[in-house]
Amino acid sequence: MNKLNRYSATLTQDTTLPGAQAMLHGIGLTEEDMNKAQVGIASAGYEGNTCNMHLNDLAKAIKAGVKDNELVGLIFNTIGVSDGMSNGTEGMRFSLQSRDIIADSIETVVSAQWYDAVITVMGCDKNMPGALMAMGRLNRPSIMVYGGTIDAGHHNGKDLDIISAFEALGQKIAGDITPEEFKEVVKHACPGSGACGGMYTANTMSSAIEALGMSLPYSSSNPAVSKVKQDECKAVGKAIRTLLEKNILPKDIMTEKAFENAMTIIMALGGSTNAVLHLIAIAKAVDVKLTIDDFQRISDRTPFIADLKPSGKYLMKDLHQVGGIPAVMKYLLNEGFLHGDCLTVTGKTVAENLADVPELAADQQIIVPVTSPIKATGHLQILYGNLAAEGSVAKITGKEGLKFSGPAKVFNTEFDLNDSVLSGKIQKGDVVVIRYQGPKGAPGMPEMLKPTSLIMGAGLGKSVALITDGRFSGGTHGFVVGHITPEAQNGGLIGLLKDGDIITIDAERRVLNAELSDEEIASRRAAWQQPAWRATKGTLAKYIKNVSSASEGCVTDEL
Ligand SMILES: CC[C@H](C)C(=O)C(=O)O
Ligand SMILES: [Mg+2]
């Protein structure tokens, strides 16, 4: 029997399980195959999203490479939902919970089918953390393949992407573009397969997971439609065999220092606030204690050095052309910001992987020197105060300033706010508050991309702040604070705010306060009653019942 065989021998070798062996023959395994290790290939492929529409084809390329390495590759599917499509609709309440459904589904299939190893091929925002959570729970040799970033759209000589479409609505309302121009931007923003092209959540998570050591070098920046992505898929089979032979497991790779590498790359690149939630959830799956305060610690020591959308100019496909994420990691390692001794899915360390990686192109303009950064510390700041007793996450690149104070304009849904922006009721100096958008209150902690895009598109990005107990898309930029805990539904102060209350956001002092007396707060709290749950059956009701707070990663599997 092949010495690699472990879990799968449970089915292939136990003569008291003739049904299992009959089924395995039925799917085409030969007697020889019965002695080979089995690799579950989990694909989040489905037709309904640019990030995912090509993944099943990549899964077939992965399977071919697995077979070439004397292993049995067996493809299965998990689900996915599109953030780009659901943002701005009630459908966005299903996005974050899809992460945990993906984790549960991969854990379920690999456990029930007794696979020896796992390769996941993932695309949109929540697919990747869901896959990594499953890998951590299973702790079997595992590699994630990122489906890859989308190419730029083009119109009128300009590079376009998904955020161009979201922000075009605000520009049209402000009269900066015509309705015809708006239509053309929408039609040309997404040219085909691939995940949203800026340093949004998908590219943030793929970069963080490569820095974490759980995908092959270049996986995060190899474009979706490229020969290098195809080559990567064919190479994964050899890599998973190495992990099986050396018995290298996710818990050997996803260590505290590896999570510091992941947080560092997120800060350097200006990545999505969602990474805070997701890395905490992934860390819990491998029993690593990671808190929101660890993000502040890494932010304090990591300069923001990437001119990447949403706050900058370039896309991941541009970064790929000047060296990709490995070149950025090599630069950060050489400057002392990364741990080089962390093990990765190549079977080698970070430093060994990067030794032969070409440096960033000499004439590139995307990554600036750490000695002259865009911002001396990270763009993610953890704020506390009477509005965030258990923490909150601010995305502040410094381009909109570091302190904001103004009167609250309070909304219980994003749709009411959107109407107010569209009808010009939001004024310069306002602090927009969108509450009851938390994991239990919404439920599902939706991303507030449409509101922030409307505000940015209407030219109010530097003069209006937005705070919420919901989340932000990676495409969000401006003066924004999300993940406010405790959420309104759980009695958080954000739920007691009224129009006109003065809100202070101070990114330097890391404070988020409502300027209200203790007596006023006590009076309002005495009058507050918890609103009815917005879901009483089905998947969202289960989510309400099980989900932890945003500061705890919104996990659903803690007893
Ligand atoms: C650009 C918006 C993208 C679809 C997203 O949802 C994110 O980055 O979180
Ligand atoms: Mg998203």
PDB file of all heavy atoms in Angstrom, residues 4-38:
ATOM      1  N   LEU A   4       1.789   6.826   1.416  1.00  0.00           N
ATOM      2  CA  LEU A   4       1.111   8.102   1.640  1.00  0.00           C
ATOM      3  C   LEU A   4      -0.289   7.879   2.200  1.00  0.00           C
ATOM      4  O   LEU A   4      -0.857   8.736   2.833  1.00  0.00           O
ATOM      5  CB  LEU A   4       0.967   8.880   0.330  1.00  0.00           C
ATOM      6  CG  LEU A   4       2.239   9.328  -0.385  1.00  0.00           C
ATOM      7  CD1 LEU A   4       1.847  10.196  -1.581  1.00  0.00           C
ATOM      8  CD2 LEU A   4       3.133  10.092   0.561  1.00  0.00           C
ATOM      9  N   ASN A   5      -0.854   6.684   1.929  1.00  0.00           N
ATOM     10  CA  ASN A   5      -2.257   6.507   2.236  1.00  0.00           C
ATOM     11  C   ASN A   5      -2.557   6.670   3.718  1.00  0.00           C
ATOM     12  O   ASN A   5      -1.826   6.133   4.542  1.00  0.00           O
ATOM     13  CB  ASN A   5      -2.723   5.107   1.789  1.00  0.00           C
ATOM     14  CG  ASN A   5      -3.901   5.246   0.841  1.00  0.00           C
ATOM     15  OD1 ASN A   5      -4.607   6.249   0.915  1.00  0.00           O
ATOM     16  ND2 ASN A   5      -4.086   4.270  -0.024  1.00  0.00           N
ATOM     17  N   ARG A   6      -3.576   7.398   4.025  1.00  0.00           N
ATOM     18  CA  ARG A   6      -3.901   7.560   5.451  1.00  0.00           C
ATOM     19  C   ARG A   6      -5.405   7.445   5.587  1.00  0.00           C
ATOM     20  O   ARG A   6      -5.939   6.366   5.621  1.00  0.00           O
ATOM     21  CB  ARG A   6      -3.390   8.911   5.937  1.00  0.00           C
ATOM     22  CG  ARG A   6      -1.860   9.013   5.870  1.00  0.00           C
ATOM     23  CD  ARG A   6      -1.326  10.388   6.284  1.00  0.00           C
ATOM     24  NE  ARG A   6      -1.718  10.689   7.661  1.00  0.00           N
ATOM     25  CZ  ARG A   6      -1.958  11.939   8.073  1.00  0.00           C
ATOM     26  NH1 ARG A   6      -1.892  12.932   7.231  1.00  0.00           N
ATOM     27  NH2 ARG A   6      -2.291  12.158   9.321  1.00  0.00           N
ATOM     28  N   TYR A   7      -6.114   8.574   5.529  1.00  0.00           N
ATOM     29  CA  TYR A   7      -7.559   8.549   5.718  1.00  0.00           C
ATOM     30  C   TYR A   7      -8.253   7.675   4.672  1.00  0.00           C
ATOM     31  O   TYR A   7      -9.142   6.906   4.970  1.00  0.00           O
ATOM     32  CB  TYR A   7      -8.109   9.979   5.637  1.00  0.00           C
ATOM     33  CG  TYR A   7      -7.530  10.899   6.684  1.00  0.00           C
ATOM     34  CD1 TYR A   7      -6.402  11.680   6.422  1.00  0.00           C
ATOM     35  CD2 TYR A   7      -8.095  10.972   7.959  1.00  0.00           C
ATOM     36  CE1 TYR A   7      -5.870  12.521   7.384  1.00  0.00           C
ATOM     37  CE2 TYR A   7      -7.564  11.823   8.923  1.00  0.00           C
ATOM     38  CZ  TYR A   7      -6.453  12.588   8.624  1.00  0.00           C
ATOM     39  OH  TYR A   7      -5.907  13.416   9.567  1.00  0.00           O
ATOM     40  N   SER A   8      -7.840   7.830   3.388  1.00  0.00           N
ATOM     41  CA  SER A   8      -8.583   7.155   2.311  1.00  0.00           C
ATOM     42  C   SER A   8      -8.483   5.636   2.427  1.00  0.00           C
ATOM     43  O   SER A   8      -9.347   4.909   1.943  1.00  0.00           O
ATOM     44  CB  SER A   8      -8.048   7.593   0.949  1.00  0.00           C
ATOM     45  OG  SER A   8      -6.665   7.305   0.827  1.00  0.00           O
ATOM     46  N   ALA A   9      -7.468   5.125   3.142  1.00  0.00           N
ATOM     47  CA  ALA A   9      -7.361   3.660   3.305  1.00  0.00           C
ATOM     48  C   ALA A   9      -8.564   3.126   4.081  1.00  0.00           C
ATOM     49  O   ALA A   9      -8.940   1.953   3.961  1.00  0.00           O
ATOM     50  CB  ALA A   9      -6.066   3.322   4.025  1.00  0.00           C
ATOM     51  N   THR A  10      -9.188   4.023   4.849  1.00  0.00           N
ATOM     52  CA  THR A  10     -10.379   3.621   5.602  1.00  0.00           C
ATOM     53  C   THR A  10     -11.425   3.022   4.671  1.00  0.00           C
ATOM     54  O   THR A  10     -12.121   2.081   5.016  1.00  0.00           O
ATOM     55  CB  THR A  10     -10.972   4.864   6.309  1.00  0.00           C
ATOM     56  OG1 THR A  10      -9.947   5.430   7.117  1.00  0.00           O
ATOM     57  CG2 THR A  10     -12.179   4.504   7.150  1.00  0.00           C
ATOM     58  N   LEU A  11     -11.528   3.598   3.472  1.00  0.00           N
ATOM     59  CA  LEU A  11     -12.538   3.121   2.521  1.00  0.00           C
ATOM     60  C   LEU A  11     -11.974   2.106   1.548  1.00  0.00           C
ATOM     61  O   LEU A  11     -12.632   1.141   1.177  1.00  0.00           O
ATOM     62  CB  LEU A  11     -13.108   4.303   1.722  1.00  0.00           C
ATOM     63  CG  LEU A  11     -13.854   5.397   2.494  1.00  0.00           C
ATOM     64  CD1 LEU A  11     -14.486   6.380   1.506  1.00  0.00           C
ATOM     65  CD2 LEU A  11     -14.911   4.805   3.400  1.00  0.00           C
ATOM     66  N   THR A  12     -10.675   2.313   1.133  1.00  0.00           N
ATOM     67  CA  THR A  12     -10.179   1.471   0.031  1.00  0.00           C
ATOM     68  C   THR A  12      -9.664   0.130   0.516  1.00  0.00           C
ATOM     69  O   THR A  12      -9.573  -0.812  -0.259  1.00  0.00           O
ATOM     70  CB  THR A  12      -9.020   2.191  -0.701  1.00  0.00           C
ATOM     71  OG1 THR A  12      -7.955   2.416   0.238  1.00  0.00           O
ATOM     72  CG2 THR A  12      -9.476   3.516  -1.296  1.00  0.00           C
ATOM     73  N   GLN A  13      -9.334   0.007   1.788  1.00  0.00           N
ATOM     74  CA  GLN A  13      -8.676  -1.229   2.242  1.00  0.00           C
ATOM     75  C   GLN A  13      -9.514  -2.066   3.203  1.00  0.00           C
ATOM     76  O   GLN A  13      -9.201  -3.207   3.475  1.00  0.00           O
ATOM     77  CB  GLN A  13      -7.332  -0.887   2.921  1.00  0.00           C
ATOM     78  CG  GLN A  13      -6.406  -0.007   2.099  1.00  0.00           C
ATOM     79  CD  GLN A  13      -6.060  -0.606   0.728  1.00  0.00           C
ATOM     80  OE1 GLN A  13      -5.922  -1.832   0.599  1.00  0.00           O
ATOM     81  NE2 GLN A  13      -5.993   0.243  -0.282  1.00  0.00           N
ATOM     82  N   ASP A  14     -10.577  -1.506   3.730  1.00  0.00           N
ATOM     83  CA  ASP A  14     -11.348  -2.233   4.749  1.00  0.00           C
ATOM     84  C   ASP A  14     -12.338  -3.174   4.065  1.00  0.00           C
ATOM     85  O   ASP A  14     -13.329  -2.733   3.485  1.00  0.00           O
ATOM     86  CB  ASP A  14     -12.096  -1.222   5.647  1.00  0.00           C
ATOM     87  CG  ASP A  14     -12.880  -1.922   6.756  1.00  0.00           C
ATOM     88  OD1 ASP A  14     -13.149  -3.132   6.630  1.00  0.00           O
ATOM     89  OD2 ASP A  14     -13.229  -1.244   7.749  1.00  0.00           O
ATOM     90  N   THR A  15     -12.077  -4.462   4.121  1.00  0.00           N
ATOM     91  CA  THR A  15     -12.918  -5.424   3.377  1.00  0.00           C
ATOM     92  C   THR A  15     -14.325  -5.495   3.958  1.00  0.00           C
ATOM     93  O   THR A  15     -15.214  -6.097   3.357  1.00  0.00           O
ATOM     94  CB  THR A  15     -12.281  -6.835   3.423  1.00  0.00           C
ATOM     95  OG1 THR A  15     -12.062  -7.157   4.812  1.00  0.00           O
ATOM     96  CG2 THR A  15     -10.957  -6.840   2.675  1.00  0.00           C
ATOM     97  N   THR A  16     -14.563  -4.872   5.090  1.00  0.00           N
ATOM     98  CA  THR A  16     -15.945  -4.860   5.623  1.00  0.00           C
ATOM     99  C   THR A  16     -16.725  -3.682   5.054  1.00  0.00           C
ATOM    100  O   THR A  16     -17.846  -3.413   5.470  1.00  0.00           O
ATOM    101  CB  THR A  16     -15.926  -4.737   7.169  1.00  0.00           C
ATOM    102  OG1 THR A  16     -15.448  -3.417   7.520  1.00  0.00           O
ATOM    103  CG2 THR A  16     -15.053  -5.797   7.794  1.00  0.00           C
ATOM    104  N   LEU A  17     -16.100  -2.971   4.108  1.00  0.00           N
ATOM    105  CA  LEU A  17     -16.790  -1.834   3.468  1.00  0.00           C
ATOM    106  C   LEU A  17     -16.883  -2.058   1.972  1.00  0.00           C
ATOM    107  O   LEU A  17     -16.389  -1.251   1.175  1.00  0.00           O
ATOM    108  CB  LEU A  17     -16.049  -0.529   3.788  1.00  0.00           C
ATOM    109  CG  LEU A  17     -16.055  -0.062   5.245  1.00  0.00           C
ATOM    110  CD1 LEU A  17     -15.149   1.144   5.424  1.00  0.00           C
ATOM    111  CD2 LEU A  17     -17.473   0.227   5.751  1.00  0.00           C
ATOM    112  N   PRO A  18     -17.491  -3.168   1.539  1.00  0.00           N
ATOM    113  CA  PRO A  18     -17.539  -3.464   0.102  1.00  0.00           C
ATOM    114  C   PRO A  18     -18.336  -2.415  -0.680  1.00  0.00           C
ATOM    115  O   PRO A  18     -18.041  -2.149  -1.844  1.00  0.00           O
ATOM    116  CB  PRO A  18     -18.230  -4.822   0.046  1.00  0.00           C
ATOM    117  CG  PRO A  18     -19.033  -4.906   1.308  1.00  0.00           C
ATOM    118  CD  PRO A  18     -18.224  -4.177   2.336  1.00  0.00           C
ATOM    119  N   GLY A  19     -19.264  -1.783  -0.016  1.00  0.00           N
ATOM    120  CA  GLY A  19     -20.050  -0.746  -0.707  1.00  0.00           C
ATOM    121  C   GLY A  19     -19.179   0.414  -1.118  1.00  0.00           C
ATOM    122  O   GLY A  19     -19.270   0.924  -2.240  1.00  0.00           O
ATOM    123  N   ALA A  20     -18.293   0.801  -0.204  1.00  0.00           N
ATOM    124  CA  ALA A  20     -17.395   1.927  -0.521  1.00  0.00           C
ATOM    125  C   ALA A  20     -16.517   1.574  -1.704  1.00  0.00           C
ATOM    126  O   ALA A  20     -16.368   2.355  -2.653  1.00  0.00           O
ATOM    127  CB  ALA A  20     -16.542   2.256   0.702  1.00  0.00           C
ATOM    128  N   GLN A  21     -15.959   0.359  -1.658  1.00  0.00           N
ATOM    129  CA  GLN A  21     -15.056  -0.024  -2.741  1.00  0.00           C
ATOM    130  C   GLN A  21     -15.821  -0.179  -4.061  1.00  0.00           C
ATOM    131  O   GLN A  21     -15.347   0.203  -5.132  1.00  0.00           O
ATOM    132  CB  GLN A  21     -14.301  -1.300  -2.386  1.00  0.00           C
ATOM    133  CG  GLN A  21     -13.181  -1.023  -1.372  1.00  0.00           C
ATOM    134  CD  GLN A  21     -13.263  -1.910  -0.131  1.00  0.00           C
ATOM    135  OE1 GLN A  21     -13.495  -3.114  -0.272  1.00  0.00           O
ATOM    136  NE2 GLN A  21     -13.043  -1.327   1.034  1.00  0.00           N
ATOM    137  N   ALA A  22     -17.060  -0.681  -3.961  1.00  0.00           N
ATOM    138  CA  ALA A  22     -17.874  -0.803  -5.185  1.00  0.00           C
ATOM    139  C   ALA A  22     -18.091   0.583  -5.796  1.00  0.00           C
ATOM    140  O   ALA A  22     -17.960   0.786  -7.014  1.00  0.00           O
ATOM    141  CB  ALA A  22     -19.215  -1.452  -4.847  1.00  0.00           C
ATOM    142  N   MET A  23     -18.398   1.554  -4.932  1.00  0.00           N
ATOM    143  CA  MET A  23     -18.615   2.921  -5.415  1.00  0.00           C
ATOM    144  C   MET A  23     -17.331   3.489  -6.021  1.00  0.00           C
ATOM    145  O   MET A  23     -17.345   4.171  -7.039  1.00  0.00           O
ATOM    146  CB  MET A  23     -19.052   3.803  -4.236  1.00  0.00           C
ATOM    147  CG  MET A  23     -20.510   3.675  -3.877  1.00  0.00           C
ATOM    148  SD  MET A  23     -21.493   4.632  -5.054  1.00  0.00           S
ATOM    149  CE  MET A  23     -23.105   4.434  -4.321  1.00  0.00           C
ATOM    150  N   LEU A  24     -16.208   3.235  -5.370  1.00  0.00           N
ATOM    151  CA  LEU A  24     -14.938   3.777  -5.877  1.00  0.00           C
ATOM    152  C   LEU A  24     -14.615   3.173  -7.239  1.00  0.00           C
ATOM    153  O   LEU A  24     -14.157   3.869  -8.147  1.00  0.00           O
ATOM    154  CB  LEU A  24     -13.826   3.504  -4.862  1.00  0.00           C
ATOM    155  CG  LEU A  24     -13.906   4.360  -3.584  1.00  0.00           C
ATOM    156  CD1 LEU A  24     -12.990   3.806  -2.504  1.00  0.00           C
ATOM    157  CD2 LEU A  24     -13.564   5.819  -3.889  1.00  0.00           C
ATOM    158  N   HIS A  25     -14.869   1.889  -7.388  1.00  0.00           N
ATOM    159  CA  HIS A  25     -14.705   1.303  -8.728  1.00  0.00           C
ATOM    160  C   HIS A  25     -15.692   1.947  -9.688  1.00  0.00           C
ATOM    161  O   HIS A  25     -15.372   2.265 -10.831  1.00  0.00           O
ATOM    162  CB  HIS A  25     -14.914  -0.216  -8.668  1.00  0.00           C
ATOM    163  CG  HIS A  25     -13.755  -0.971  -8.111  1.00  0.00           C
ATOM    164  ND1 HIS A  25     -12.495  -0.918  -8.675  1.00  0.00           N
ATOM    165  CD2 HIS A  25     -13.640  -1.771  -7.022  1.00  0.00           C
ATOM    166  CE1 HIS A  25     -11.655  -1.673  -7.970  1.00  0.00           C
ATOM    167  NE2 HIS A  25     -12.338  -2.217  -6.953  1.00  0.00           N
ATOM    168  N   GLY A  26     -16.905   2.198  -9.178  1.00  0.00           N
ATOM    169  CA  GLY A  26     -17.957   2.774 -10.019  1.00  0.00           C
ATOM    170  C   GLY A  26     -17.603   4.148 -10.560  1.00  0.00           C
ATOM    171  O   GLY A  26     -17.975   4.513 -11.666  1.00  0.00           O
ATOM    172  N   ILE A  27     -16.818   4.907  -9.778  1.00  0.00           N
ATOM    173  CA  ILE A  27     -16.425   6.242 -10.288  1.00  0.00           C
ATOM    174  C   ILE A  27     -15.179   6.134 -11.160  1.00  0.00           C
ATOM    175  O   ILE A  27     -14.658   7.138 -11.621  1.00  0.00           O
ATOM    176  CB  ILE A  27     -16.194   7.242  -9.129  1.00  0.00           C
ATOM    177  CG1 ILE A  27     -15.011   6.814  -8.254  1.00  0.00           C
ATOM    178  CG2 ILE A  27     -17.462   7.446  -8.329  1.00  0.00           C
ATOM    179  CD1 ILE A  27     -14.614   7.864  -7.223  1.00  0.00           C
ATOM    180  N   GLY A  28     -14.666   4.900 -11.313  1.00  0.00           N
ATOM    181  CA  GLY A  28     -13.581   4.725 -12.283  1.00  0.00           C
ATOM    182  C   GLY A  28     -12.225   4.406 -11.686  1.00  0.00           C
ATOM    183  O   GLY A  28     -11.228   4.354 -12.406  1.00  0.00           O
ATOM    184  N   LEU A  29     -12.139   4.233 -10.374  1.00  0.00           N
ATOM    185  CA  LEU A  29     -10.828   3.912  -9.800  1.00  0.00           C
ATOM    186  C   LEU A  29     -10.447   2.465 -10.124  1.00  0.00           C
ATOM    187  O   LEU A  29     -11.281   1.556 -10.071  1.00  0.00           O
ATOM    188  CB  LEU A  29     -10.846   4.105  -8.274  1.00  0.00           C
ATOM    189  CG  LEU A  29     -10.386   5.483  -7.767  1.00  0.00           C
ATOM    190  CD1 LEU A  29     -11.288   6.569  -8.316  1.00  0.00           C
ATOM    191  CD2 LEU A  29     -10.374   5.517  -6.238  1.00  0.00           C
ATOM    192  N   THR A  30      -9.171   2.266 -10.459  1.00  0.00           N
ATOM    193  CA  THR A  30      -8.674   0.917 -10.732  1.00  0.00           C
ATOM    194  C   THR A  30      -8.150   0.320  -9.426  1.00  0.00           C
ATOM    195  O   THR A  30      -8.028   1.032  -8.410  1.00  0.00           O
ATOM    196  CB  THR A  30      -7.493   0.998 -11.719  1.00  0.00           C
ATOM    197  OG1 THR A  30      -6.429   1.736 -11.074  1.00  0.00           O
ATOM    198  CG2 THR A  30      -7.896   1.707 -13.003  1.00  0.00           C
ATOM    199  N   GLU A  31      -7.799  -0.947  -9.468  1.00  0.00           N
ATOM    200  CA  GLU A  31      -7.189  -1.569  -8.281  1.00  0.00           C
ATOM    201  C   GLU A  31      -5.935  -0.797  -7.857  1.00  0.00           C
ATOM    202  O   GLU A  31      -5.698  -0.554  -6.677  1.00  0.00           O
ATOM    203  CB  GLU A  31      -6.814  -3.022  -8.602  1.00  0.00           C
ATOM    204  CG  GLU A  31      -7.972  -3.991  -8.595  1.00  0.00           C
ATOM    205  CD  GLU A  31      -8.677  -4.035  -7.234  1.00  0.00           C
ATOM    206  OE1 GLU A  31      -8.035  -3.688  -6.201  1.00  0.00           O
ATOM    207  OE2 GLU A  31      -9.882  -4.383  -7.206  1.00  0.00           O
ATOM    208  N   GLU A  32      -5.172  -0.376  -8.871  1.00  0.00           N
ATOM    209  CA  GLU A  32      -3.942   0.376  -8.568  1.00  0.00           C
ATOM    210  C   GLU A  32      -4.274   1.696  -7.873  1.00  0.00           C
ATOM    211  O   GLU A  32      -3.638   2.091  -6.897  1.00  0.00           O
ATOM    212  CB  GLU A  32      -3.169   0.661  -9.869  1.00  0.00           C
ATOM    213  CG  GLU A  32      -1.821   1.339  -9.657  1.00  0.00           C
ATOM    214  CD  GLU A  32      -1.188   1.797 -10.987  1.00  0.00           C
ATOM    215  OE1 GLU A  32      -1.817   1.578 -12.041  1.00  0.00           O
ATOM    216  OE2 GLU A  32      -0.084   2.386 -10.937  1.00  0.00           O
ATOM    217  N   ASP A  33      -5.354   2.338  -8.370  1.00  0.00           N
ATOM    218  CA  ASP A  33      -5.749   3.621  -7.776  1.00  0.00           C
ATOM    219  C   ASP A  33      -6.106   3.481  -6.294  1.00  0.00           C
ATOM    220  O   ASP A  33      -5.910   4.370  -5.499  1.00  0.00           O
ATOM    221  CB  ASP A  33      -6.964   4.198  -8.507  1.00  0.00           C
ATOM    222  CG  ASP A  33      -6.636   4.654  -9.912  1.00  0.00           C
ATOM    223  OD1 ASP A  33      -5.458   5.013 -10.141  1.00  0.00           O
ATOM    224  OD2 ASP A  33      -7.540   4.623 -10.769  1.00  0.00           O
ATOM    225  N   MET A  34      -6.629   2.305  -5.943  1.00  0.00           N
ATOM    226  CA  MET A  34      -7.084   2.094  -4.561  1.00  0.00           C
ATOM    227  C   MET A  34      -5.940   2.240  -3.552  1.00  0.00           C
ATOM    228  O   MET A  34      -6.163   2.474  -2.372  1.00  0.00           O
ATOM    229  CB  MET A  34      -7.705   0.707  -4.404  1.00  0.00           C
ATOM    230  CG  MET A  34      -8.976   0.494  -5.184  1.00  0.00           C
ATOM    231  SD  MET A  34     -10.360   1.488  -4.531  1.00  0.00           S
ATOM    232  CE  MET A  34     -11.734   0.677  -5.365  1.00  0.00           C
ATOM    233  N   ASN A  35      -4.695   2.149  -4.059  1.00  0.00           N
ATOM    234  CA  ASN A  35      -3.542   2.282  -3.159  1.00  0.00           C
ATOM    235  C   ASN A  35      -2.917   3.654  -3.202  1.00  0.00           C
ATOM    236  O   ASN A  35      -1.850   3.873  -2.637  1.00  0.00           O
ATOM    237  CB  ASN A  35      -2.490   1.223  -3.526  1.00  0.00           C
ATOM    238  CG  ASN A  35      -2.988  -0.165  -3.204  1.00  0.00           C
ATOM    239  OD1 ASN A  35      -3.633  -0.365  -2.169  1.00  0.00           O
ATOM    240  ND2 ASN A  35      -2.766  -1.106  -4.102  1.00  0.00           N
ATOM    241  N   LYS A  36      -3.593   4.571  -3.918  1.00  0.00           N
ATOM    242  CA  LYS A  36      -3.030   5.924  -4.019  1.00  0.00           C
ATOM    243  C   LYS A  36      -3.731   6.859  -3.033  1.00  0.00           C
ATOM    244  O   LYS A  36      -4.910   6.667  -2.714  1.00  0.00           O
ATOM    245  CB  LYS A  36      -3.206   6.467  -5.439  1.00  0.00           C
ATOM    246  CG  LYS A  36      -2.409   5.702  -6.497  1.00  0.00           C
ATOM    247  CD  LYS A  36      -2.675   6.258  -7.884  1.00  0.00           C
ATOM    248  CE  LYS A  36      -1.880   5.489  -8.940  1.00  0.00           C
ATOM    249  NZ  LYS A  36      -2.228   5.973 -10.315  1.00  0.00           N
ATOM    250  N   ALA A  37      -3.024   7.883  -2.597  1.00  0.00           N
ATOM    251  CA  ALA A  37      -3.648   8.913  -1.756  1.00  0.00           C
ATOM    252  C   ALA A  37      -4.689   9.656  -2.582  1.00  0.00           C
ATOM    253  O   ALA A  37      -4.519   9.860  -3.784  1.00  0.00           O
ATOM    254  CB  ALA A  37      -2.588   9.868  -1.233  1.00  0.00           C
ATOM    255  N   GLN A  38      -5.765  10.065  -1.904  1.00  0.00           N
ATOM    256  CA  GLN A  38      -6.850  10.760  -2.586  1.00  0.00           C
ATOM    257  C   GLN A  38      -6.844  12.238  -2.181  1.00  0.00           C
ATOM    258  O   GLN A  38      -6.716  12.581  -1.003  1.00  0.00           O
ATOM    259  CB  GLN A  38      -8.199  10.127  -2.228  1.00  0.00           C
ATOM    260  CG  GLN A  38      -8.333   8.717  -2.756  1.00  0.00           C
ATOM    261  CD  GLN A  38      -9.705   8.120  -2.453  1.00  0.00           C
ATOM    262  OE1 GLN A  38     -10.620   8.816  -2.002  1.00  0.00           O
ATOM    263  NE2 GLN A  38      -9.847   6.817  -2.696  1.00  0.00           N
TER     264      GLN A  38
END
